[in-house]
């Protein structure tokens, strides 16, 4: 049901402006702490500039290949580089994994600091922040994986911890339906309903 996603001459950033990727799913289903569905709609329709990458995000990107190597050495498992995938029926739905162990198990890498430590459960479980859970469920569904190894890098201690998440088909199906509905509405110019967190966005909907 999925295929490798080729960007066809455009950057990953440019592709994301008019398509739905893994970082978009949590906002669409209302499970993001950083962005609402209306934020996402306004950004993708060009009515609002997205926030620039934070230094923490840039550090995570820079560290990703090193963390992948460290995790491979720690666990004694080969971890290949990540790949990009798309939905076979709706090619505007896609996602990029951070790596894979085999055809059954993908890898996702996240950084953690003292401000987000309380959002994580015990290592070895699937108790990860809800927005990350939604994101890796999306990647598993798009890429055809049954399991995800979440590698958490603590920016303070510099230690790695590991979490295992099994694919939840029902959750992925709901996310996929929500993403398709979001895209269809966006193409018709129908914005998501504002939430209590969208006070600053009202001016974009009603500029007068």
């Amino acid at each position: 049901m999925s295929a490798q996603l080729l960007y066809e001459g455009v950057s990953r950033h440019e592709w994301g402006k008019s398509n739905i990727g893994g970082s978009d799913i949590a906002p669409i289903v209302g499970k993001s702490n950083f962005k609402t569905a209306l934020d996402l709609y306004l950004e993708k329709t060009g009515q609002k500039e997205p926030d620039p990458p934070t230094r923490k995000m840039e550090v995570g990107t820079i560290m990703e290949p090193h963390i992948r190597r460290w995790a491979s050495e720690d666990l004694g498992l080969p971890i290949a580089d990540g790949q990009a995938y798309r939905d076979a029926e709706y090619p505007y739905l896609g996602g990029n994994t951070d790596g894979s162990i085999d055809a059954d198990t993908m890898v996702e890498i996240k950084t953690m600091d003292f401000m987000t430590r309380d959002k994580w459960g015990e290592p070895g479980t699937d108790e990860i922040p809800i927005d990350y859970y939604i994101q890796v469920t999306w990647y598993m569904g798009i890429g055809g994986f049954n399991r995800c190894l979440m590698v958490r890098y603590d920016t303070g201690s510099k230690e790695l911890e590991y979490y295992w998440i099994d694919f939840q088909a029902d959750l992925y199906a709901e996310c996929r339906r929500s993403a398709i509905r979001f895209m269809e509405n966006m193409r018709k110019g129908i914005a998501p309903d504002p939430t209590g967190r969208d006070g600053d966005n009202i001016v974009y909907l009603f500029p007068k």
Side-chain angles (χ1 to χ4, degrees), residues 78-91:
I79 300 180
D81 292 349
Q83 294 191 61
Y85 301 88
R86 68 180 173 189
D87 187 284
E89 185 178 2
Y90 297 93

Side-chain angles (χ1 to χ4, degrees), residues 131-147:
D131 49 342
Y132 294 164
Y133 198 103
I134 295 292
Q135 185 179 17
V136 298
T137 296
W138 180 258
Y139 290 152
M140 284 188 276
I142 289 286
F145 297 98
N146 290 312
R147 206 176 190 203

Side-chain angles (χ1 to χ4, degrees), residues 92-114:
Y92 56 76
L93 305 179
N96 291 72
T97 63
D98 289 338
S100 63
I101 295 173
D102 50 38
D104 193 62
T105 307
M106 60 159 280
V107 174
E108 180 70 8
I109 297 169
K110 296 296 184 185
T111 60
M112 180 202 73
D113 56 25
F114 70 94

Side-chain angles (χ1 to χ4, degrees), residues 8 51 115 133:
E8 299 177 350
D51 293 332
M115 296 180 65
Y133 198 103

Side-chain angles (χ1 to χ4, degrees), residues 35-90:
K35 186 179 293 188
T36 67
L38 183 54
D39 281 323
L40 188 67
Y41 171 87
L42 293 171
E43 291 173 5
K44 287 189 178 292
T45 55
Q47 300 177 64
K48 179 181 179 181
E49 285 296 318
D51 293 332
T54 63
R55 184 167 295 179
K56 179 181 177 181
M57 294 167 61
E58 292 180 346
V59 167
T61 301
I62 293 170
M63 291 296 296
E64 183 181 307
H66 303 290
I67 296 170
R68 188 164 47 236
R69 175 173 57 83
W70 295 336
S72 179
E73 293 170 353
D74 279 356
L75 299 172
L77 295 171
I79 300 180
D81 292 349
Q83 294 191 61
Y85 301 88
R86 68 180 173 189
D87 187 284
E89 185 178 2
Y90 297 93

